[in-house]
Each structure stands twice: as C-alpha cells, then as structure tokens.
Amino acid sequence: LHTAYRRQRQMCIRDSSMSLSKAIEHLTPDQGLRIHRSTWLKWNEMQSFIYVNGNPRVLCRNDRELPVSRHQLDAVKDYLEK
C-alpha cells in the first residue's frame, strides 16, 4: 500500500498493491472521499478546487494537485464550500 504522509498523519492512499476498494472498506465516509479511481483523500487535506487545462483538481494542504473524477465534483465542491 503506497501512502503519502504529511506530518506523520496518513493523508492520501494512492496506487496501492491492495485494491483501493478494499482499503476504503476499512474507512468511514466521514474520514475522506475517493476523489478519483486511484485516489482517496482525507476531507481535511482538501484546501481548494481548481481546473488545470479544463481538468478538475483538488489542491491539497501540501500544495499537491490531485485529479478529481467528474462523478465526485459535486461532493468535493460541497465540502469546500462549507
């Protein structure tokens, strides 16, 4: 399982050898969201929403840009508008 870390806290699960679906089964919906087929992200790591060359992206607190599935656009936008 490949995991990105920020200050020793698990932030993002991406490109895992265990299927992402199996890893997400161990999480609760209030912990985060599968923002793309290969990416799950904690809610509190989402900083803002941007488009890059017409493609939706989440800007994380560590300034990393991650892709957002068009199916998850509304959920991400709703969270960030809170």
Side-chain angles (χ1 to χ4, degrees):
L1 182 63
H2 295 271
T3 308
Y5 287 91
R6 178 177 179 266
R7 294 186 188 154
Q8 303 295 9
R9 296 180 323 199
Q10 189 172 341
M11 178 190 79
C12 174
I13 301 172
R14 188 179 174 114
D15 300 327
S16 61
S17 57
M18 170 195 289
S19 77
L20 187 56
S21 296
K22 290 287 185 191
I24 290 172
E25 287 176 9
H26 299 281
L27 303 168
T28 59
D30 64 323
Q31 290 179 284
L33 178 70
R34 186 174 189 169
I35 62 170
H36 196 268
R37 65 183 173 153
S38 63
T39 308
W40 177 92
L41 185 64
K42 285 177 70 171
W43 290 112
N44 64 356
E45 292 300 328
M46 296 181 197
Q47 183 174 342
S48 63
F49 179 80
I50 60 173
Y51 281 93
V52 176
N53 298 323
N55 298 309
R57 301 273 192 252
V58 165
L59 183 60
C60 300
R61 292 187 185 276
N62 66 0
D63 295 326
R64 186 167 181 193
E65 293 176 12
L66 297 173
V68 177
S69 156
R70 298 198 192 288
H71 297 287
Q72 296 298 350
L73 282 175
D74 289 340
V76 170
K77 286 179 181 180
D78 288 347
Y79 173 77
L80 291 171
E81 290 175 357
K82 289 182 185 180

